[in-house]
Amino acid sequence: MKILALETSAKAVSAAVSENGRILAAGYQDTGLTHSRTLMPIVEHILKNTDLKLSDMDAIAVAVGPGSFTGIRIGVAAAKGLAFSVDKPAVGVSTLAALARNVAFADGLVVCAMDARRQQVYNANFAAENGTLTRLTPDRAISLADLAEELPNESRPVTLAGDGAHLVFDYFAEHGIPCRLAPPHLIMENAMSVALEAEELARQGKLISAQELEAFYLRPPQADPLKKKPAPMQ
């Protein structure tokens, strides 16, 4: 199975193509330019340099959130358009579940965190053991204080990943909670992990139509109230 995956839920933008657990190509950019300007050139570049066409893909995957409202909208709209154009199914991937795949090798507790402002993070926790991840919490918006209160007696090594990882690391350090940051090349959201998470969801039969693909915001934009939608299936 070949999957084209998009990641636009945070500051960086990326795209990747995977096939049966192997990353064939990927592109990543974190230069401050808007995702609407940078995403499609990355997609075009990796397809051209792998001699693949969009129609060669079995599914189009995208990180549907949580994360940046604007970024998620751009990514979901792009994925819907690409899937529609070649009549392919889609896969909506939790940004946090994909993040956990970055550090599945780090046995212990994986705390995925994205900066949600106002001393909050978008968070989900996973247990990692021998490369296998077990979800411990749903995707949620949680204060740093509440997150810290959950871990006072944690005996496992705690690994932090995501664009909010440094924020959590500093707060945990102030409150005497031992933890470690994921390595620099694995700490941020990226489309390679989205592709691998999408492959697993596809194996579970969780492909959907492009029309069914929706963003998952956790909390609505202040200027555009939305009804809360259920979290993407994991």
Side-chain angles (χ1 to χ4, degrees), residues 93-157:
V93 174
S94 159
T95 309
L96 297 168
L99 257 176
R101 286 190 173 271
N102 290 9
V103 288
F105 64 88
D107 285 1
L109 180 67
V110 174
V111 176
C112 297
M114 302 178 70
D115 188 359
R117 312 296 182 186
R118 295 177 273 176
Q119 288 294 294
Q120 286 191 327
V121 289
Y122 299 127
N123 157 259
N125 297 337
F126 300 80
E129 184 175 3
N130 298 323
T132 299
L133 293 164
T134 301
R135 180 182 277 273
L136 302 177
T137 71
D139 290 0
R140 57 191 179 170
I142 187 171
S143 70
L144 295 173
D146 287 344
L147 181 59
E149 285 182 4
E150 294 183 352
L151 305 177
N153 301 312
E154 180 59 55
S155 59
R156 294 168 293 184

Side-chain angles (χ1 to χ4, degrees), residues 35-233:
H35 295 346
S36 57
R37 175 178 173 183
T38 54
L39 176 61
M40 293 313 299
I42 293 174
V43 171
E44 292 167 3
H45 176 77
I46 63 176
L47 290 176
K48 178 180 179 180
N49 283 279
T50 51
D51 200 25
L52 291 169
K53 301 184 294 295
L54 190 60
S55 58
D56 293 325
M57 300 299 111
D58 295 295
I60 310 299
V62 62
V64 295
S68 159
F69 300 128
T70 300
I72 292 168
R73 283 174 173 152
I74 291 169
V76 170
K80 288 170 81 77
L82 292 170
F84 268 127
S85 71
V86 287
D87 193 25
K88 297 292 183 177
V91 189
V93 174
S94 159
T95 309
L96 297 168
L99 257 176
R101 286 190 173 271
N102 290 9
V103 288
F105 64 88
D107 285 1
L109 180 67
V110 174
V111 176
C112 297
M114 302 178 70
D115 188 359
R117 312 296 182 186
R118 295 177 273 176
Q119 288 294 294
Q120 286 191 327
V121 289
Y122 299 127
N123 157 259
N125 297 337
F126 300 80
E129 184 175 3
N130 298 323
T132 299
L133 293 164
T134 301
R135 180 182 277 273
L136 302 177
T137 71
D139 290 0
R140 57 191 179 170
I142 187 171
S143 70
L144 295 173
D146 287 344
L147 181 59
E149 285 182 4
E150 294 183 352
L151 305 177
N153 301 312
E154 180 59 55
S155 59
R156 294 168 293 184
V158 177
T159 304
L160 309 177
D163 63 41
H166 286 89
L167 186 66
V168 175
F169 181 86
D170 291 342
Y171 190 90
F172 280 9
E174 292 174 3
H175 293 80
I177 300 174
C179 61
R180 61 191 178 187
L181 291 167
H185 62 295
L186 297 173
I187 198 169
M188 298 299 287
E189 301 79 2
N190 71 79
M192 291 184 288
S193 294
V194 173
L196 297 177
E197 179 68 10
E199 285 194 9
E200 177 59 30
L201 293 175
R203 283 191 289 270
Q204 296 173 19
K206 295 177 181 177
L207 294 172
I208 58 176
S209 69
Q211 186 174 359
E212 294 173 296
L213 188 65
E214 292 186 330
F216 174 59
Y217 294 113
L218 268 182
R219 66 186 189 201
Q222 291 181 352
D224 184 17
L226 298 172
K227 292 182 179 179
K228 186 175 181 180
K229 297 183 174 68
M233 296 297 294

